[in-house]
Amino acid sequence: MAPARTRADRPLTPAAQRVLDVAGDLFYRRGINTVGMELVAEQAGVTKKTIYDRFGSKEALVVAYLRARDARWRQWVTDAVDAEDDPVRRILATFDALAEWTDRENERGCAMVNACAELADPDHPGRAAARDQKEWLRGRYLELAAELGAADPARLADTLLILHEGAVVGRSVAELPGAIATARDAAARLLAAEG
Amino acid sequence: MAPARTRADRPLTPAAQRVLDVAGDLFYRRGINTVGMELVAEQAGVTKKTIYDRFGSKEALVVAYLRARDARWRQWVTDAVDAEDDPVRRILATFDALAEWTDRENERGCAMVNACAELADPDHPGRAAARDQKEWLRGRYLELAAELGAADPARLADTLLILHEGAVVGRSVAELPGAIATARDAAARLLAAEG
DNA sequence: CCACCACTATACCGAACGGTGTGGTTATGC
DNA sequence: GCATAACCACACCGTTCGGTATAGTGGTGG
């Protein structure tokens, strides 16, 4: 995973890294709009000036937060998929990866979905970051569907993505603790019918 | 559908109804946290005093917004389901209802999911409103699964709910225009395997 | 007639928001 | 030896936030 960078595309200074870590935690747990830059600065042991010197704006910090989190997530899923050989098990590994991910991270659902909810402006670059993550996962599913030799790889990829996203919402909003297992199970049945 | 009510559980005054309509539109399109009471008052042609006299607080207005929207949604789904006779078609009618709903309402996803993203406090009554909606839909699916004579109605209901929620996210965040059709299709295949 | 209700208009509150400017300290590297 | 980068502390900007207070208007029902 390439290290995160700021506006001038230079590696993060130590203080900037602390800011990004703190912002990631606060934005996710309390919401982007309800967390002020003053709080981020205080929690990171940094002045607001430093944040604005390194990131330029709150919007840019939000985007950096989403990109960094996305990078972590992609690595997490990639590692889980790469640990398996069988095409079916590689696909199902994404659901296991999600289960473990949501076990350690808290019960606040998908950061990208939450960001889209908070960033109403359709041109906000944070929305593009969220879309990119979903597009990436769909692309992974598309590759895996091709590996499997699915009759309609695109349809299968879309369906898997929908099950994946639905599981996250089912768990966090509908408060179904077994949502991810249920989605995995449905995916397994669809794959059995496919192959 | 019972008319919405405010804190003293009395029917809404004309101005209060206007406030609720305007708030519903603004909260959904621009987000709850980014819309101030001053803007709601202005758009409704009402003073802030009137809003606070009728609703008591922003939190209460938010809850009234979510409850009213939920009531509309439940009626919409109920009507669609009631129009069909065959158990399978009754289930699939919920996806058709969703497709029509999201066609008229804009591309901002599920108001309940968005509200959960914005209301970080787990004890915020708005979160309970969101959970109640999902619980209701799951209950409907459970009834329909029983009608169908499914082998495992609970599992089927959970799976349908997951497909349903995943479709909304797939369409709004991942920007897959065919997400709802894909989810409906997956549901149809699972139902065929079930029955 | 008068009390009551719904409502308008306006001014105000303390707090927090995102963002900027000044000035000073420390550490690294040429 | 000296510039530069990275950081600190702190004061300040205008704006907006949720919420309150005051004063007054029009209509309805007892």
Side-chain angles (χ1 to χ4, degrees), chain B residues 105-125:
Chain B
E105 308 277 337
N106 266 350
E107 306 288 333
R108 285 227 65 223
C110 174
M112 305 298 148
V113 173
N114 291 355
C116 284
E118 293 206 75
L119 311 175
D121 175 13
D123 296 326
H124 193 293

Side-chain angles (χ1 to χ4, degrees), chain B residues 64-99:
Chain B
Y65 146 61
L66 291 172
R67 294 287 179 192
R69 193 177 171 104
D70 184 24
R72 255 181 287 134
W73 162 248
R74 293 190 193 192
Q75 193 60 54
W76 180 255
V77 172
T78 300
D79 288 348
V81 169
D82 288 352
E84 300 287 342
D85 286 321
D86 176 64
V88 169
R89 292 180 62 175
R90 280 161 72 83
I91 291 175
L92 295 180
T94 64
F95 288 89
D96 298 329
L98 174 61

Side-chain angles (χ1 to χ4, degrees), chain B residues 35-37 48 52 58:
Chain B
V35 168
M37 297 295 270
K48 278 203 291 178
Y52 280 94
K58 181 175 185 180

